[in-house]
């Protein structure tokens, strides 16, 4: 009897209210006579805050150890083993999240929007590697970053890339950094996380495109050492600034360089400066340097102008802007039950005007942000260009502090101070 | 004379280097100081607001985990323990039994257990649930809405940017404080 009543009610409600968004009590809670206890749903806890703090301490420990291996112990083996450990822990165990590279976006958003609550872990993961880079060079890249470690382990036969091409490809990280910040502060997307090529490998679970991206980076990485680190990683831009001005840095040789050239061939990332004589300074050089300095404001303006002009295209990645544009240009999508975004918007009860206003605000933010980011591109490119006109007198083989990843191969190859150093001397390496 | 000039140049370079280093340190310190006050609210995790969820089904596909970390949970307190459960049965079934063709759930993740006439208890087998929300839609449309979707934190990787949140059409996936990681339905409307 009761069963059929329910059935009738079910059918009626099925006809009358096909889709009810908000739940309501249609059926009273039964009074059980059999002594049945109503269970309550389980709530498995997330990873505890103390474990997150443990990660920060582990990061600190790793950074300190690598610094010690790079500066004091001068041990390539130590750095390598640490990077494997970091790959296992921060990569495969912690699934590559949170990482310093992605932390850029959290910090940028936290600055731009005080309402965004950033976690201490994210801030620490962003700041600590930079702090260490300012102190001792890019030790983070050498033995802590899981993305670096996975590429480090697959280097098979690195080819040397021409200097000009290297410089040109080296501009990509600046673009990536600028766009990542622009998309983060407009709350559009965290593109660094979205296009992280290795996170799918760390999770052992990825979509087809992710696997394709990660796989091609790994295959490329066999011949072009650490392609992501050198030509894509946005965090590397910041690390580069810090490391180029670092207080201490890895030195190839423990004592005096004997110009044996062994280290030059050992560096997989072409980050060793060869000895070079400073050309006699002429007025032409000075003029070129001054000209490039004058060029900087022009580039800054040009960059800002171009990017803010293209804000309409840039803002199309934003969900709200996309939806507003779609609803205006194709009003018939309202009748398309397959378009989930449109359907969710229609059921939300929000008016189109409100949505369009929101989209307009986001677009304006893109316009302002475009000036800043484009200006940053202009400044960065201008400074790099100006830097090319400055020559330094170099006697010995020295690491290029900004680009050196402190992997330590060159220390390993340097014969100075090694037990069989004297035998090498006898073989006449120095006289060559 | 030449040596003296050289040392002057070296001194100048040293000065420039030190001041650059110092300004970088100040910049980094300033950045940290600016952001540090915003960290007091502790750690954050992702969660679905069940009252904003429209059961579009994207949770099943958009999560970086396969199967998704989103599962159906059952607020038993709100359940009517109906024999004809709108979350369990496909609309229009003739026989109220556990035959696969009658079930709404594509993976048979809902267990139906007889309690007493005419009440049945429905529990979710989370190992089978893929978070598609079909049962939630059924329960919300025809029943009390006691079934709802939640991100289960024993499975969620807590990605920096939740890939479901990015694709959620109703913006129901939000960051919540880690000490209150669930938004279980305790009532019939958002309090």
């Amino acid at each position: 009897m009761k069963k059929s009543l329910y059935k009738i009610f079910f059918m009626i409600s099925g006809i009358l209210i096909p889709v009810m968004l908000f739940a309501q009590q249609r059926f009273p809670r039964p009074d059980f006579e059999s002594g049945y206890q109503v269970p309550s749903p389980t709530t498995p806890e997330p990873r505890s805050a103390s474990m997150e703090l443990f990660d920060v301490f582990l990061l600190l420990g790793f950074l300190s150890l690598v610094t010690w291996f790079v500066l004091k112990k001068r041990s390539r083996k130590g750095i390598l083993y640490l990077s494997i450990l970091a790959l296992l822990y921060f990569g495969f165990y912690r699934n590559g999240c949170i990482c310093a590279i992605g932390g850029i976006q959290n910090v940028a958003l936290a600055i731009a929007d005080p309402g965004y609550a950033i976690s201490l872990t994210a801030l620490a993961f962003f700041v600590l590697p930079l702090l260490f880079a300012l102190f001792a060079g890019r030790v983070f890249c050498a033995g802590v970053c899981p993305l670096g470690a996975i590429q480090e382990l697959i280097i098979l036969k690195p080819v040397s890339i021409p200097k000009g091409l290297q410089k040109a490809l080296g501009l990509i990280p600046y673009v990536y950094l600028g766009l990542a910040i622009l998309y983060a502060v407009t709350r559009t997307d965290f593109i660094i996380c979205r296009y992280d090529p290795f996170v799918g490998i760390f999770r052992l679970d990825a979509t087809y495109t992710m696997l394709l991206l990660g796989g091609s980076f790994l295959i490329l990485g066999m011949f072009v050492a650490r392609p992501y680190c050198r030509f894509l990683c946005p965090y590397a831009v910041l690390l580069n600034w810090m490391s180029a001005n670092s207080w201490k840095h890895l030195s190839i040789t423990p004592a005096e360089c004997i110009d044996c050239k062994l280290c030059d061939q050992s560096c997989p990332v072409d980050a060793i400066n060869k000895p070079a004589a400073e050309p006699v300074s002429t007025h032409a050089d000075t003029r070129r340097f001054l000209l490039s300095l004058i060029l900087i404001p022009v580039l800054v303006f040009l960059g800002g102008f171009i990017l803010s002009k293209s804000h309409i295209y840039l803002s199309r990645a934003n969900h709200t802007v996309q939806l507003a544009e779609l609803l205006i240009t194709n009003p018939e999508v309202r009748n398309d039950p397959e378009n989930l975004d449109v359907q969710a918007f229609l059921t939300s009860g929000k008016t189109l005007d409100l949505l369009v206003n929101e989209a307009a605000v986001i677009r304006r933010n893109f316009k302002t942000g475009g000036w800043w980011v484009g200006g940053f591109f202009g400044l960065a490119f201008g400074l790099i260009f100006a830097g090319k006109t400055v020559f330094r007198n170099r006697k010995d083989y020295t690491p290029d502090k900004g680009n050196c990843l402190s992997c330590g191969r060159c220390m390993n190859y340097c014969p100075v101070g090694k037990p069989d150093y004297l035998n090498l001397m006898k073989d006449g390496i120095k006289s060559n | 004379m030449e040596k003296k000039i050289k040392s002057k140049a070296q001194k100048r370079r040293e000065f420039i280097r030190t001041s650059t280093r110092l300004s970088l340190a100040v910049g980094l310190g300033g950045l940290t100081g600016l952001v540090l006050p915003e960290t007091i609210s502790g750690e954050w995790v992702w969660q679905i607001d069940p009252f904003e969820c429209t059961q579009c089904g994207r949770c099943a596909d958009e999560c970086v985990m396969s199967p998704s970390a989103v599962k159906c949970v059952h607020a038993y307190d709100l359940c009517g323990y109906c024999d004809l459960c709108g979350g369990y049965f496909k609309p229009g079934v003739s026989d109220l039994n556990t035959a696969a063709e009658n079930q709404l759930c594509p993976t048979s993740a809902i267990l139906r257990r007889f309690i007493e006439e005419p009440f049945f208890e429905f529990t979710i087998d989370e190992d089978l649930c893929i978070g598609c929300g079909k049962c939630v839609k059924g329960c919300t449309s025809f029943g009390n809405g006691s079934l709802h979707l939640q991100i289960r934190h024993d499975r969620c990787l807590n990605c920096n940017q939740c890939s479901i949140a990015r694709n959620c059409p109703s913006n129901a996936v939000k960051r919540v404080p880690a000490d209150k990681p669930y938004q279980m339905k305790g009532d019939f409307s958002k309090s």
Side-chain angles (χ1 to χ4, degrees), chain A residues 166-176 230-231 237 377 380-381 384:
Chain A
Q166 244 185 90
K167 281 256 191 252
L169 289 174
L171 296 179
I172 302 173
Y174 286 88
V175 177
Y176 199 7
R230 290 157 77 198
F231 307 127
V237 172
F377 291 165
F381 296 174
I384 289 169

Side-chain angles (χ1 to χ4, degrees), chain A residues 13 22 64 233 248 267 291 325 379 392 400 411:
Chain A
S13 60
F22 293 99
S64 315
C233 181
K248 285 180 187 297
C267 185
L291 195 73
E325 268 192 5
L379 183 69
R392 283 273 182 275
D400 172 356
M411 303 191 303

Side-chain angles (χ1 to χ4, degrees), chain A residues 323-338:
Chain A
L323 189 63
E325 268 192 5
L326 183 72
L327 281 167
I328 290 170
T329 52
N330 299 312
E332 70 275 7
V333 286
R334 284 167 176 271
N335 307 321
D336 178 10
E338 297 291 304

